[in-house]
Amino acid sequence: MPETKALTIGALAARTGLSVSAIRFYEEKGLVEPFRSSGGQRRFLRSDIRRLSFVLIAQQLGLTIGEIERQLADLPHGRTPTQADWTRISKAMRKVIDARIAELERTRDRLDGCIGCGCLSLKKCQLYNPEDRIGLKGPGPRLVLED
Amino acid sequence: MPETKALTIGALAARTGLSVSAIRFYEEKGLVEPFRSSGGQRRFLRSDIRRLSFVLIAQQLGLTIGEIERQLADLPHGRTPTQADWTRISKAMRKVIDARIAELERTRDRLDGCIGCGCLSLKKCQLYNPEDRIGLKGPGPRLVLED
DNA sequence: TCTTGATCTCAACTTAGCTTGAGGTTGTAC
DNA sequence: GTACAACCTCAAGCTAAGTTGAGATCAAGA
């Protein structure tokens, strides 16, 4: 049964479109856990193709590696994820998307209120909301759009 | 007329909620162009409060400094931006938001097609679209959501 | 005048998400 | 049995958007 054979990192890269270095990086971050050949080279399961596909999809949604890792944490390495696994994750991602869309729509509505008024003054403009920026983690302004 | 007096960097920081270091950074990036006091300290125009307010708003929309700089490039330093200036920029920003929302809705629709099917295989899944990632600028996967 | 807070410059550090390079080993095809 | 691509580790570099710190100078009130 050739379809159960392990994949080299290069083969996995070819299958996913990721670079070899990115896959190694993801291993470091705990997204995949390859075993090793007798000579020390990485060997991946076929189910890792799916794991990494998920990583790519989740990145398109703007999830950070850490957030993706948390989603994948419950997915067992070594067994092909079940349909229920993906359903659970897909639903979680849908919530993320919905929230992000809602946030953008709110911004758009506020912007509409500003078009033509030229009010961009700190006192009056609803778009500029200093409270939004207070208590942001880390250095400097962060994209509110990112979660 | 006290309202025409120039602002120190600290005063501008207080008015905008930005840090002093961020304002210096923005100057370096060309977003503001303060003149200097006889002793070499920065002096800002009152219109710079608006410029920086705009920077904050645009950042909430996810624009990079470079993109913001391009928007502001046409706005003269030294004269208070007109209502027409802001209207033009506001409309441009609305397009950005609309595009971003549309992109997310597309992703959501594709995700809906996947919920329950557990199909995350490279061959079949509509969510995973390798072509989307080809030719992305810079190193590694980028958020498709960002522009 | 003196002192003190605000400012100055310049360099180094931060986080995320990787890439690139150096120098060395593995595995496989001929 | 040897060549050579693919793999290994580890360190350093990259971009964005700033922050932090050192050491020096400016400005303004008492």
Side-chain angles (χ1 to χ4, degrees):
Chain A
M1 11 166 85
E3 63 271 18
T4 60
K5 279 179 66 181
L7 297 162
T8 64
I9 195 168
L12 185 58
R15 293 308 216 83
T16 58
L18 286 166
S19 66
V20 167
S21 66
I23 295 174
R24 286 201 270 252
F25 177 75
Y26 291 153
E27 177 190 3
E28 199 180 311
K29 296 298 179 181
L31 300 183
V32 281
E33 287 183 343
F35 57 97
R36 299 297 177 123
S37 71
S38 55
Q41 296 193 353
R42 289 171 182 80
R43 292 296 180 257
F44 294 85
L45 298 171
R46 308 208 129 240
S47 58
D48 287 329
I49 299 176
R50 286 195 171 193
R51 283 184 88 88
L52 292 184
S53 304
F54 173 74
V55 170
L56 288 165
I57 293 167
Q59 282 195 319
Q60 290 193 21
L61 301 185
L63 300 195
T64 65
I65 299 280
E67 290 163 340
I68 295 169
E69 201 274 325
R70 259 165 264 144
Q71 287 294 323
L72 282 176
D74 301 334
L75 281 191
H77 297 269
R79 126 166 125 62
T80 300
T82 66
Q83 188 165 311
D85 291 329
W86 293 124
T87 300
R88 173 175 54 73
I89 290 182
S90 299
K91 286 187 173 164
M93 291 205 293
R94 197 192 200 287
K95 281 191 185 164
V96 172
I97 298 178
D98 286 342
R100 208 166 308 236
I101 289 177
E103 166 72 29
L104 279 172
E105 282 173 343
R106 253 183 297 132
T107 303
R108 181 175 62 184
D109 291 345
R110 290 188 297 196
L111 184 63
D112 280 349
C114 277
I115 290 180
C117 91
C119 76
L120 297 192
S121 98
L122 291 187
K123 295 265 167 67
K124 289 178 285 180
C125 186
Q126 298 186 64
L127 266 174
Y128 177 77
N129 201 337
E131 283 68 33
D132 287 354
R133 287 181 300 111
I134 291 175
L136 288 180
K137 79 275 177 167
R142 289 289 173 222
L143 296 189
V144 172
L145 305 180
E146 292 194 356
D147 184 318
Chain B
M1 9 168 87
E3 63 271 17
T4 61
K5 280 180 61 179
L7 296 162
T8 64
I9 196 169
L12 185 58
R15 294 307 216 82
T16 57
L18 286 167
S19 65
V20 167
S21 66
I23 295 173
R24 291 201 191 104
F25 177 76
Y26 291 154
E27 178 192 3
E28 199 179 310
K29 295 298 178 181
L31 301 182
V32 282
E33 287 184 342
F35 56 98
R36 299 296 177 124
S37 71
S38 55
Q41 297 192 350
R42 290 170 181 82
R43 293 294 181 260
F44 294 85
L45 299 171
R46 308 209 128 241
S47 59
D48 287 330
I49 299 176
R50 286 196 173 191
R51 281 185 90 86
L52 292 184
S53 305
F54 173 76
V55 171
L56 288 165
I57 293 166
Q59 281 196 317
Q60 289 193 21
L61 300 186
L63 299 196
T64 65
I65 299 279
E67 289 163 341
I68 295 169
E69 201 275 326
R70 258 165 266 146
Q71 287 294 322
L72 282 176
D74 300 334
L75 281 191
H77 296 270
R79 125 167 124 62
T80 300
T82 67
Q83 188 164 311
D85 290 330
W86 293 126
T87 300
R88 175 176 52 73
I89 291 181
S90 299
K91 285 187 172 164
M93 292 207 294
R94 198 195 199 285
K95 282 191 184 162
V96 171
I97 299 178
D98 285 342
R100 208 167 308 237
I101 289 176
E103 166 71 29
L104 280 172
E105 283 172 343
R106 253 183 297 131
T107 302
R108 181 174 63 184
D109 291 344
R110 290 188 296 195
L111 183 63
D112 280 348
C114 276
I115 290 180
C117 90
C119 75
L120 297 194
S121 97
L122 292 186
K123 297 264 167 67
K124 289 178 286 178
C125 187
Q126 297 187 65
L127 266 173
Y128 176 78
N129 202 336
E131 282 68 34
D132 287 353
R133 287 180 300 111
I134 290 174
L136 289 180
K137 77 274 177 173
R142 290 289 172 220
L143 297 189
V144 171
L145 305 179
E146 293 192 359
D147 185 321

